[in-house]
Amino acid sequence: MRRMRNVKIVATLGPSSDDYDTIRRLFEIGVDVFRLNMSHGSQEEIRERHTIIRQIEQELGRPIAILADLQGPKLRVGVFAGDSEELVEGATFRMDLDEAEGDASRVRLPHPEIFAALQPGATLLVNDGKIRLRVEKCGEDFADCIVVTGGTISNRKGVNVPDVVLPLAALSGKDKSDLEFVCELGVDWVALSFVQRPEDVLQTKELVAGRAAVLSKIEKPAAVEAFDEILAVSDGIMVARGDLGVELPVQAVPPIQKRLIRGARAAAKPVIVATQMLESMIESPMPTRAEVSDVANAIYEGADAVMLSAESAAGAYPLEAVRTMNAVAEEVEKGEMYRSIIESARDVERKTTADSIVASAREIAENMGVRAICCFTHSGTTALKTARERPRVPILALTPFTATARRLCLSWGVNCFMTHGDVSRFKMAVVSAARAARQGQFADSNDTVVVVAGVPFNIPGSTNILRVAPCDERLIFNTDPE
């Protein structure tokens, strides 16, 4: 089941894909990371899906990453006496804290923190931006608005506030419960919704306490503005284009996507492009040409992973959606145009020994016909730095830690192997690398690999040695130092 591509595929599990046979088939045909959406399904359903993934992982002997996506705070209006009302452009409309049912002139917005942050001129978006209101006057318990874009407003529709940094924590009470649950369960990544500032990420990491990696979803204008600071404290990034496209002009999203991908790559942190990538495949076995181009563009831009949401969770064709995404990725990566674009975007400021070592490994591998770069890593940092180089040869990450191997499944081009036995001596590390390359069908005994490691072993961040080694173990034992 060696993947013939470098970009990874994230697939969301749901009613269309929550049984053993479907999950196993999804993995076999291309899924690298399974997403558990905490907005849908009970904790018991999440537990069952997690158990199935780990069973498949054990049966196949191959690490599989699990990403738990937290719901985040949900801002919604109250209910209407008639279930819905029609708002007309130019009309006035009030949002307030009154518990009475709404009508054509007002509705409850049970979020005093929104009123506390609003200023005249601010925009309120309802129902994914279909209705647009401009605040004319506001106080601690109300906002009088003008309807800029009218439409039907109905019970409990979502509200977005794009112009204001809200005094809301990124974690709701439900999120905190779900966070502890999935960390105890043993997920590998936690995706944090509603990120506005780096403090949101730091609060989450304090609660996670090292039990999972934390990925920040960039879905609000405030997060775009504070991206560099958020990236610095995050382990990974998701370009969550759904809410971004609601709270920002849609034409602003593509350049933002490019900026976020390049920033994450420069920081050697994985980045996922998400939302509506193959949306039509929820109901159709074939995607649109525009969707295929969207997936291809994310791959050309250098994303670590592309994601399926409802396509795999609730759609009629989850397997076909994964096959399509896999086929697009393979086709894109076969072309020289892909290599040209990826390599022209290699803008890395190499400040450490490890940075220079992995850059040298890439150059040697590409210039000498070496079949793979083999990285020994404890924390995953060496493999991440190697992936940042986007080499033309496969990356093999060898680690004694299951958690590290699973987390690296999200990173571009990284193939994860567990090391067993004594690799405390460099010669045995080289032997382990050669065996992994042969067993994974990345090389045969006549080939060579580049081995990157840190000596002495077992010290994270100590990458300081590079060796071009044969895959024939007899040659290793005859020629390599202890």
Side-chain angles (χ1 to χ4, degrees), residues 441-481:
Q441 299 181 342
F442 295 94
D444 59 37
S445 58
N446 296 318
D447 293 317
T448 55
V449 293
V450 174
V451 181
V452 176
V455 178
F457 283 90
N458 306 320
I459 300 177
S462 64
T463 305
N464 58 9
I465 193 167
L466 181 156
R467 169 82 165 95
V468 179
C471 288
D472 187 330
E473 291 180 32
R474 295 170 300 177
L475 297 177
I476 297 172
F477 281 110
N478 289 338
T479 61
D480 271 41

Side-chain angles (χ1 to χ4, degrees), residues 243-462:
D243 279 324
L244 269 182
V246 171
E247 299 206 4
L248 288 165
V250 291
Q251 66 271 19
V253 175
I256 288 172
Q257 175 175 312
K258 284 179 167 57
R259 175 193 157 200
L260 301 187
I261 291 173
R262 289 209 174 189
R265 177 179 170 186
K269 295 181 179 181
V271 55
I272 304 171
V273 175
T275 317
Q276 297 179 325
M277 301 215 80
L278 295 175
E279 184 86 352
S280 69
M281 292 194 74
I282 296 172
E283 298 177 347
S284 168
M286 291 292 292
T288 67
R289 291 166 182 80
E291 289 168 341
V292 170
S293 293
D294 184 37
V295 174
N297 282 332
I299 298 169
Y300 279 123
E301 288 165 5
D304 288 82
V306 286
M307 191 175 99
L308 296 168
S309 299
E311 302 96 327
S312 57
Y317 303 97
L319 298 176
E320 288 82 354
V322 173
R323 286 194 188 96
T324 298
M325 193 164 266
N326 184 74
V328 172
E330 289 184 356
E331 188 66 26
V332 167
E333 293 189 15
K334 281 193 298 189
E336 275 303 310
M337 179 64 71
Y338 171 73
R339 291 308 319 178
S340 174
I341 294 171
I342 284 292
E343 290 171 7
S344 67
R346 187 185 289 135
D347 183 18
V348 180
E349 189 175 349
R350 301 182 179 96
K351 298 180 178 179
T352 68
T353 300
D355 293 338
S356 298
I357 289 282
V358 298
S360 299
R362 173 187 57 77
E363 291 191 14
I364 290 169
E366 293 176 353
N367 293 329
M368 294 182 59
V370 170
R371 299 302 299 270
I373 299 173
C374 302
C375 309
F376 281 84
T377 183
H378 279 64
S379 65
T381 301
T382 304
L384 292 172
K385 287 177 179 289
T386 306
R388 176 175 60 186
E389 295 289 330
R390 299 296 193 260
R392 292 182 174 233
V393 300
I395 303 166
L396 278 56
L398 296 95
T399 180
F401 300 118
T402 303
T404 298
R406 289 170 174 166
R407 290 177 192 177
L408 286 171
C409 291
L410 181 59
S411 296
W412 185 98
V414 178
N415 302 272
C416 303
F417 292 85
M418 296 296 300
T419 58
H420 305 284
D422 178 25
V423 290
S424 59
R425 293 179 302 148
F426 185 66
K427 177 180 286 188
M428 293 312 301
V430 175
V431 169
S432 294
R435 288 175 181 171
R438 295 196 315 271
Q439 290 168 3
Q441 299 181 342
F442 295 94
D444 59 37
S445 58
N446 296 318
D447 293 317
T448 55
V449 293
V450 174
V451 181
V452 176
V455 178
F457 283 90
N458 306 320
I459 300 177
S462 64

Side-chain angles (χ1 to χ4, degrees), residues 68-90:
D69 197 332
L70 300 178
Q71 176 177 282
K74 291 299 179 185
L75 309 178
R76 300 184 185 278
V77 299
V79 298
F80 291 84
D83 292 334
S84 67
E85 292 287 348
E86 196 71 22
L87 300 189
V88 180
E89 182 179 335

Side-chain angles (χ1 to χ4, degrees), residues 59-303:
E59 290 171 355
L60 298 178
R62 180 164 164 175
I64 303 175
I66 301 177
L67 165 68
D69 197 332
L70 300 178
Q71 176 177 282
K74 291 299 179 185
L75 309 178
R76 300 184 185 278
V77 299
V79 298
F80 291 84
D83 292 334
S84 67
E85 292 287 348
E86 196 71 22
L87 300 189
V88 180
E89 182 179 335
T92 60
F93 191 76
R94 168 175 279 215
M95 291 189 174
D96 55 40
L97 296 177
D98 189 340
E99 295 185 7
E101 293 180 327
D103 55 30
S105 64
R106 60 155 297 278
V107 73
R108 184 185 186 213
L109 181 62
H111 301 285
E113 58 275 9
I114 293 181
F115 298 119
L118 284 178
Q119 297 289 335
T123 298
L124 294 175
L125 304 174
V126 184
N127 193 16
D128 290 336
K130 294 181 176 67
I131 294 173
R132 180 179 293 266
L133 309 175
R134 183 179 67 248
V135 177
E136 295 293 304
K137 182 181 178 182
C138 54
E140 62 182 16
D141 59 357
F142 76 95
D144 289 332
C145 306
I146 294 292
V147 179
V148 178
T149 304
T152 302
I153 183 171
S154 56
N155 297 340
R156 300 184 182 88
K157 287 301 181 183
V159 177
N160 294 79
V161 191
D163 304 335
V164 178
V165 177
L166 296 174
L168 280 173
L171 294 174
S172 65
K174 169 179 164 53
D175 293 327
K176 290 180 180 178
S177 172
D178 286 342
L179 179 62
E180 183 60 27
F181 170 73
V182 297
C183 285
E184 285 297 304
L185 204 57
V187 303
D188 310 296
W189 286 88
V190 172
L192 181 62
S193 301
F194 209 85
V195 176
Q196 299 184 96
R197 54 185 83 82
E199 290 79 10
D200 296 330
V201 186
L202 293 171
Q203 177 196 8
T204 304
K205 295 187 87 167
E206 184 176 348
L207 295 173
V208 170
R211 292 174 290 175
V214 176
L215 182 144
S216 294
K217 295 169 67 174
I218 307 300
E219 53 190 348
K220 296 188 70 63
V224 175
E225 291 181 15
F227 175 66
D228 292 341
E229 293 81 8
I230 290 170
L231 175 64
V233 297
S234 303
D235 300 309
I237 294 294
M238 182 188 293
V239 186
R241 304 178 304 174
D243 279 324
L244 269 182
V246 171
E247 299 206 4
L248 288 165
V250 291
Q251 66 271 19
V253 175
I256 288 172
Q257 175 175 312
K258 284 179 167 57
R259 175 193 157 200
L260 301 187
I261 291 173
R262 289 209 174 189
R265 177 179 170 186
K269 295 181 179 181
V271 55
I272 304 171
V273 175
T275 317
Q276 297 179 325
M277 301 215 80
L278 295 175
E279 184 86 352
S280 69
M281 292 194 74
I282 296 172
E283 298 177 347
S284 168
M286 291 292 292
T288 67
R289 291 166 182 80
E291 289 168 341
V292 170
S293 293
D294 184 37
V295 174
N297 282 332
I299 298 169
Y300 279 123
E301 288 165 5

